[in-house]
Amino acid sequence: MSLPTTAPVASDTLRGPRALAPALDVAALAAHVPVLKRKLRAGQYLYRSGQAFNALYVVHAGFLRTSIVTDDGREQITGFPMRGDLLGVEAIGAGAHVSDAIALDDCDIVELPYPAVMTACLASPELQGMFTAALAREIRRDREWLLALGTLTAEQRVATFLLDVAARHAALGFSGAHFVLRMSRVDIGSFLALKHETVTRALSNLTAQGIIAVERRDVRVLDAPRLQASSRGADAPLHRAA
Amino acid sequence: MSLPTTAPVASDTLRGPRALAPALDVAALAAHVPVLKRKLRAGQYLYRSGQAFNALYVVHAGFLRTSIVTDDGREQITGFPMRGDLLGVEAIGAGAHVSDAIALDDCDIVELPYPAVMTACLASPELQGMFTAALAREIRRDREWLLALGTLTAEQRVATFLLDVAARHAALGFSGAHFVLRMSRVDIGSFLALKHETVTRALSNLTAQGIIAVERRDVRVLDAPRLQASSRGADAPLHRAA
DNA sequence: CGTGAACTTGAGTCTCCTCAAGAACTGTGG
DNA sequence: CCACAGTTCTTGAGGAGACTCAAGTTCACG
C-alpha cells in the first residue's frame, strides 16, 4: 500500500472544471493592505450566512467547505476551497455573507479587510486586474460545474470531481495520483447534486473497473486516462467524427 | 384574451433565483469610457467562444441567450440576458470569449471597450464598486441556479424559471403576469438541465392546475402565490414545523 | 469496548429520459 | 391566397438512472 511509482498523473491530462490559474497574489496585496492571519480548527466556521461582511479570505493551509442555504431549507455545497483559493467574494455588494464557510481541517487563513482591498486595487492597476480576474475565474468555475451537473451522469460527475481534486492537488505540488478526501460522501453528494449512496456506488464502479482504488477517503488514481474517459460526456470521442 | 385585471403579480412575491439589484449604470460609465452602440438582428451573435475579448456589453433593448460548449460537445445555456444585464464578464482574464451570446430578438447593445472600462474604474471608486458588485451579483446568480438545478424537481425548476422571468419583466416595468417567452422549449430545457418534452409537461401540469395559462410562448400567471408554492422545495412549508 | 458516525450494498420505486407520433404554427413560393 | 416544408410544441408509452428505504459493516473516538 505504498505510493505507486507507476501511472503518475500527468497534470496536463487532468482538466477538471476548475481553471487552474494562479490565485490571488497575497504577497502583492500585503504591500498595500494590512493582512491578518487567522487560524481555524476543524469544524469551525470562517463565516456564516447573515454575518456582517467585512473581509475576504485566502486559504493559506487546510481545506474548507462552502455552502448556501435557502429559506425553504434547501442546501448545497458550492465548493471545497484549498490553499490559494479566495473566499467570500459572493458577499460583495450584498452587505452580509450569503454563504457558510467551515473548516474541514485545521486551517491557516489570510484575512483581507473589505473594503480596504478595494481601495488598494484603486491604487494599483496590477492588483485591480488580479482581483477582477479572480472574480471572473470564479464565474467560469461556477459555469463549468453548472454544465457538469446539467449534462453528466452520476458516475461522470464523480469522475470529474476526482479529476478536479487531483488537478488541484497537483497544482499545489501534492500528488495527483494519491490523495485523501477531506470531505464525506454526503458532502461530495451535496456538491454534485447526488445522494451519498450514489456517490459510493460510483466510486465502487470506478474501483471495479480498476480505474481507481478507494479505501474510505483514501483515493488512488490508477488509470488517469480512463478516469478522464469516465468523466466525458459521450463515450470516448477519441477522434471527432466527420 | 385581454390582459387580466385580476391576479396581478406583486413584485415582492416574485423572488426568483436572480437577484434583482440595479444593473451596471451605463450613464455613469459613459462619462469615463467611450461607449459604442451596436444593433443586432434576431439570430446574430454578439460574440462567440474563442473570439478575441475586447469589450463587455450591456443590453439596452432586446433579449439574448448565452451558452457554453465543451470540447466533448456538451452544451448548456447559461442565461437569457435582457435590458440592463451585463454580458461577457466571464471572459475577463481568459483572453478570449468562453461563451456564445446570440440575439433572440432584434437588440440594442451598449459596448464597453475592455480594458478601457477597467482603467475608468481605477479613476472612480464609485465605478469600481459598481463593477465589482456586478461581478459578485453574477456569482450569486450562478450559485442560486446551481442550487435550483441540484435540489428542485422538473416542475419546480420550470416554476422557478417562470417566476424569474416574471420578476425580471416586472423590474423593467413590463407585466409580470403576462409575458411572451423569447426562447424555445429546447432553450429552457438546456438552461434548466431538462429535456424539452419535460419542460412542456411541466408547463402543461401547471396549466392543468390553473396556476398559469400557456399558449405557445404566451404565458399568463394566473395564481402567483401558487406558482411560488410550486417552485418551493418541500411541499409548502407555510409555517416552520417545531 | 461501546457508541455513533460514516460508508457500503441491496431491493424496490419514481422521476425524468428516450423514442415516437401527431398537431400547430411559420415562412416560402407558386 | 393557398399549399408545402420545416420547425416547434404536445402527448403517450416504455425504459433507465438515480432516489428511497433498509440493513449491515467499518472506523473513529471517548
Side-chain angles (χ1 to χ4, degrees):
Chain A
M1 293 283 179
S2 59
L3 278 167
T5 52
T6 58
V9 178
S11 59
D12 61 338
T13 66
L14 287 172
R15 296 172 299 123
R18 167 175 284 261
L20 291 175
L24 209 58
D25 186 349
V26 176
L29 265 169
H32 297 77
V33 193
V35 298
L36 307 171
K37 303 264 184 179
R38 261 177 79 170
K39 281 189 182 293
L40 255 58
R41 296 212 151 276
Q44 282 188 317
Y45 281 90
L46 178 57
Y47 54 78
R48 306 195 65 160
S49 192
Q51 275 185 359
F53 166 61
N54 45 35
L56 299 172
Y57 305 93
V58 175
V59 184
H60 184 253
F63 297 82
L64 308 249
R65 181 185 80 193
T66 56
S67 57
I68 42 177
V69 192
T70 59
D71 32 331
D72 55 331
R74 288 146 44 213
E75 180 174 5
Q76 186 158 21
I77 288 172
T78 54
F80 299 103
M82 51 191 282
R83 191 168 85 215
D85 288 333
L86 181 64
L87 281 89
V89 289
E90 68 281 346
I92 292 175
H97 280 288
V98 295
S99 59
D100 297 341
I102 191 167
L104 294 172
D105 263 328
D106 291 1
C107 290
D108 286 355
I109 309 285
V110 177
E111 181 172 327
L112 311 171
Y114 185 94
V117 266
M118 298 315 296
T119 319
C121 285
L122 278 174
S124 157
E126 294 77 33
L127 269 189
Q128 192 208 37
M130 234 170 49
F131 186 72
T132 311
L135 291 188
R137 194 157 48 238
E138 198 66 16
I139 293 174
R140 288 197 292 276
R141 189 195 81 103
D142 288 348
R143 297 272 167 87
E144 280 160 8
W145 278 115
L146 200 57
L147 179 66
L149 298 202
T151 60
L152 299 181
T153 65
E155 189 164 323
Q156 289 167 344
R157 288 184 219 177
V158 171
T160 302
F161 176 75
L162 292 178
L163 287 167
D164 183 59
V165 171
R168 291 167 67 199
H169 273 252
L172 295 183
F174 303 137
S175 171
H178 178 206
F179 47 84
V180 175
L181 298 173
R182 301 317 208 284
M183 70 297 289
S184 70
R185 301 287 191 268
V186 173
D187 289 343
I188 298 173
S190 172
F191 181 64
L192 297 177
L194 298 171
K195 296 298 162 186
H196 69 95
E197 298 98 322
T198 307
V199 174
T200 291
R201 278 185 243 273
L203 289 171
S204 299
N205 283 348
L206 291 169
T207 300
Q209 295 171 55
I211 295 173
I212 60 174
V214 182
E215 208 168 318
R216 293 292 269 202
R217 298 193 180 180
D218 184 287
V219 177
R220 284 164 205 278
V221 178
L222 304 177
D223 190 337
R226 280 213 291 155
L227 186 54
Q228 265 295 343
S230 301
S231 76
R232 294 264 136 179
D235 292 50
L238 296 176
H239 35 263
R240 198 163 293 278
Chain B
M1 291 287 175
S2 59
L3 280 165
T5 52
T6 57
V9 179
S11 58
D12 60 339
T13 66
L14 287 172
R15 296 173 299 123
R18 165 174 285 259
L20 291 175
L24 209 59
D25 185 349
V26 177
L29 265 169
H32 297 77
V33 193
V35 298
L36 307 172
K37 303 262 184 182
R38 261 177 79 170
K39 280 189 182 294
L40 256 58
R41 295 212 151 276
Q44 283 188 317
Y45 282 89
L46 179 56
Y47 54 78
R48 305 194 66 159
S49 191
Q51 275 185 0
F53 165 61
N54 45 35
L56 299 173
Y57 305 93
V58 175
V59 184
H60 184 252
F63 297 82
L64 309 246
R65 180 186 78 194
T66 56
S67 57
I68 43 177
V69 191
T70 59
D71 33 330
D72 56 332
R74 287 146 44 212
E75 180 173 7
Q76 186 157 23
I77 288 172
T78 54
F80 300 102
M82 50 192 282
R83 190 168 87 215
D85 288 333
L86 181 65
L87 282 90
V89 289
E90 68 280 347
I92 293 175
H97 281 288
V98 295
S99 59
D100 297 342
I102 191 167
L104 294 173
D105 263 328
D106 290 0
C107 291
D108 286 355
I109 308 285
V110 177
E111 180 173 327
L112 310 171
Y114 184 95
V117 268
M118 298 315 296
T119 320
C121 285
L122 278 174
S124 157
E126 294 78 33
L127 270 189
Q128 191 207 39
M130 236 168 49
F131 187 73
T132 311
L135 292 188
R137 194 158 47 239
E138 198 65 17
I139 293 175
R140 289 196 292 275
R141 188 195 83 102
D142 288 349
R143 298 271 167 88
E144 279 160 8
W145 279 115
L146 199 57
L147 178 65
L149 298 202
T151 59
L152 299 181
T153 65
E155 190 165 321
Q156 290 166 345
R157 287 183 219 177
V158 171
T160 302
F161 176 75
L162 292 178
L163 288 167
D164 183 58
V165 171
R168 291 167 68 199
H169 273 252
L172 295 183
F174 302 137
S175 171
H178 179 205
F179 48 84
V180 175
L181 298 172
R182 300 317 208 282
M183 70 297 288
S184 69
R185 303 286 191 268
V186 173
D187 289 343
I188 299 173
S190 172
F191 181 64
L192 297 177
L194 297 171
K195 295 299 162 186
H196 68 96
E197 299 98 321
T198 307
V199 174
T200 290
R201 279 185 243 274
L203 290 172
S204 299
N205 283 347
L206 292 170
T207 300
Q209 295 170 56
I211 296 173
I212 60 174
V214 181
E215 206 167 320
R216 294 293 271 203
R217 298 192 180 179
D218 183 286
V219 177
R220 283 163 205 279
V221 178
L222 304 176
D223 191 336
R226 280 212 292 155
L227 186 55
Q228 266 293 342
S230 301
S231 76
R232 294 264 134 177
D235 292 52
L238 296 177
H239 34 263
R240 199 162 291 280

